[in-house]
Amino acid sequence: MFCSFITPATRHRVCYTLASLCLFISIPSLAQSVITLNANGSSATAVTLHYTDPVRLAQVVSDSLKQRTMTDIPFWLGSSLSSPTEPKNKQALITQLTQLSQQYRDDTVVSDSFANTGQWLQQHIHHQRLPVSIDIDKVRLNKADNPLLNGNYLLQLANRPTSVIVIGAIEKPQTIKWQPRMSAKEYLAQVTPLSIAANSEVTVIQPDGVMQQHSIAYWNNHHNDIAPGAIIYLGYHSLFDDYSDLNHAISSMLINRTL
């Protein structure tokens, strides 16, 4: 009835407007949470999970397990949730290490150590790791371990590693086979520390990103377990006044490494 009183041109505009409105209504709202998932421990098989509303971590982990094609369960201790952004202090730290390498170029081993540590950080630290557990049992049972996610994230379901990394005051980072009940002191016996290396304690970053101090001197030595995939950071000592600040910056950056 209405259409009989309007001109063809007006009818065309009305119909076009209604069609456009219907198209707009039919478009789903943009996802509020986007999870880039490495379900099998490799970015080569990454998939993307979209959620139209904020989502609990437990739901994301449960959905992620359905994407995993490997038969073994994930290595929960090394699985991680990260922000897609790079740690804000990463490039400043690498610049500092590069400058130290140039400053101490008369001592080739020390110079190479600073350069190689910076290069390792550049190659292996890409995103800001978030301090949350990914263990499916923890996130299901404990409300504090089950945060609400809203935004873009990277989720890594890790495979169990077979080695540990020793980095810091040695000539270059070393990958050493993990062995049960082996202490930091025993791992360090397989590398050659610099003369400026710390000799009483090392920093161990466990695969869940937890930082620990392990004693290595004869007078304070006691056993602490080191999990597969951990990083043993041997600090620089007594070469310059603010070496403790450098050690803190490096060990804090290493927390962001993911398996």
Side-chain angles (χ1 to χ4, degrees), residues 8 43-44 85 90 118 139 161 163 172 185 216 237 252 255:
S43 59
T85 58
K90 173 185 170 183
V139 299
S163 61
K172 61 181 179 179
K185 185 175 182 178
I216 57 173
H237 184 74
S252 297
I255 290 175

Side-chain angles (χ1 to χ4, degrees), residues 31-69:
Q32 294 189 25
S33 294
V34 179
I35 315 295
T36 301
L37 168 66
N38 297 330
N40 297 300
S42 171
S43 59
T45 56
V47 298
T48 304
L49 305 179
H50 295 269
Y51 298 91
T52 57
D53 296 300
V55 59
R56 291 288 176 184
L57 178 60
Q59 183 64 55
V60 174
V61 176
S62 178
D63 293 342
S64 299
L65 285 172
K66 298 173 185 177
Q67 300 290 330
R68 186 171 172 87
T69 59

Side-chain angles (χ1 to χ4, degrees), residues 12-22:
H12 174 76
R13 286 195 299 271
V14 170
C15 293
Y16 178 81
T17 301
L18 290 174
S20 299
L21 179 60
C22 292

Side-chain angles (χ1 to χ4, degrees), residues 40-41 68 70 72-79 157-163 178-180 207 226-229 259:
N40 297 300
R68 186 171 172 87
M70 301 188 69
D72 57 328
I73 64 172
F75 181 56
W76 294 120
L77 193 65
S79 297
L157 299 185
N159 300 321
R160 185 179 179 86
T162 58
S163 61
W178 177 82
Q179 296 186 45
I226 295 176
L259 298 180

Side-chain angles (χ1 to χ4, degrees), residues 183-212:
S183 67
K185 185 175 182 178
E186 292 172 304
Y187 283 114
L188 290 175
Q190 302 181 53
V191 302
T192 303
L194 305 183
S195 60
I196 60 169
N199 56 17
S200 62
E201 283 188 335
V202 295
T203 299
V204 174
I205 295 94
Q206 299 286 11
D208 58 357
V210 172
M211 186 187 301
Q212 302 171 342

